[in-house]
Amino acid sequence: MYDELYQAWKHEVTEPTLGTLPRDFYEHITRYLRKIKEENSLMDNKTLKTTLLEKEAANVKRMLGELLWARYKKIVKFTTQTQKLSTELLAFEEAQIFESFVPFTEAYQKFAKSLLQGQTRQSNQEPHKRVTLRFSKDIPQIMGADMKSYGPFIVEDIASLPVQNAKIFVKQGLAVIVDVT
């Protein structure tokens, strides 16, 4: 395992590209570190082997820390530059984290683009837009996307609601959009 870690570490600190890690890479590393710790705890504290195991554990932790930091920087760079990153390159844990990072990055880039086009967050959001609906089912009182109370509604009631709420009611077949023009 030490050689596998060393090769991965060497690639990440010397190459500009993101190296491929096996899906279970970090699981193997944690088992390897646990094994060193257990083996070391079974020995006398003054032996040469104990000293060597301590050095090995320290080297593994140092390389792992540098590997993690290098991969983190590369993954963030790929994602923020809107480059497509193959999850085949990532270990299982990295792929899980990456899945939640991508939507954040895309939302932030959309925000930045809107801002650069002179649009603020409020002028870009839908809660201020409203849609008129005719209800086809009874609906209890709700809290709207604009944090105001609406309803309760009975069949055939007509009301103007924030577009986010209206979309949900229409999608669920509880109301239909009324064209008021």
Side-chain angles (χ1 to χ4, degrees), residues 70-177:
R71 289 183 64 80
Y72 170 78
K73 290 189 301 188
K74 289 176 185 180
I75 291 168
V76 168
K77 181 180 176 185
F78 272 101
T79 308
T80 57
Q81 293 177 348
T82 62
Q83 296 177 10
K84 298 298 178 196
L85 179 63
S86 171
T87 54
E88 297 294 317
L89 299 171
L90 306 176
F92 175 76
E93 296 84 354
E94 290 172 329
Q96 284 186 312
I97 295 167
F98 182 72
E99 287 175 13
S100 63
F101 185 68
V102 170
F104 165 78
T105 303
E106 289 171 351
Y108 197 85
Q109 288 169 345
K110 184 177 177 183
F111 157 71
K113 183 178 179 182
S114 295
L115 195 59
L116 291 170
Q117 292 174 349
Q119 296 177 343
T120 64
R121 186 174 146 220
Q122 286 184 344
S123 66
N124 210 15
Q125 287 184 332
E126 291 184 338
H128 300 293
K129 294 182 184 178
R130 300 175 70 78
V131 175
T132 303
L133 298 177
R134 181 176 48 84
F135 289 89
S136 52
K137 302 231 180 194
D138 293 346
I139 306 291
Q141 185 175 10
I142 64 155
M143 179 69 67
D146 57 0
M147 302 310 285
K148 295 180 183 175
S149 295
Y150 294 92
F153 303 105
I154 59 171
V155 174
E156 298 300 322
D157 273 355
I158 295 178
S160 176
L161 295 170
V163 72
Q164 289 176 320
N165 298 101
K167 284 180 183 179
I168 294 168
F169 287 136
V170 170
K171 185 176 181 178
Q172 292 178 351
L174 302 172
V176 293
I177 295 175

Side-chain angles (χ1 to χ4, degrees), residues 16 26 34 52 55 60 73 76:
Y26 296 119
R34 247 192 333 262
L52 291 174
K55 292 282 186 192
V60 167
K73 290 189 301 188
V76 168

Side-chain angles (χ1 to χ4, degrees), residues 43-54:
M43 307 188 132
D44 283 339
N45 290 341
K46 308 262 184 198
T47 66
L48 176 62
K49 187 165 185 173
T50 304
T51 304
L52 291 174
L53 285 172
E54 288 171 355

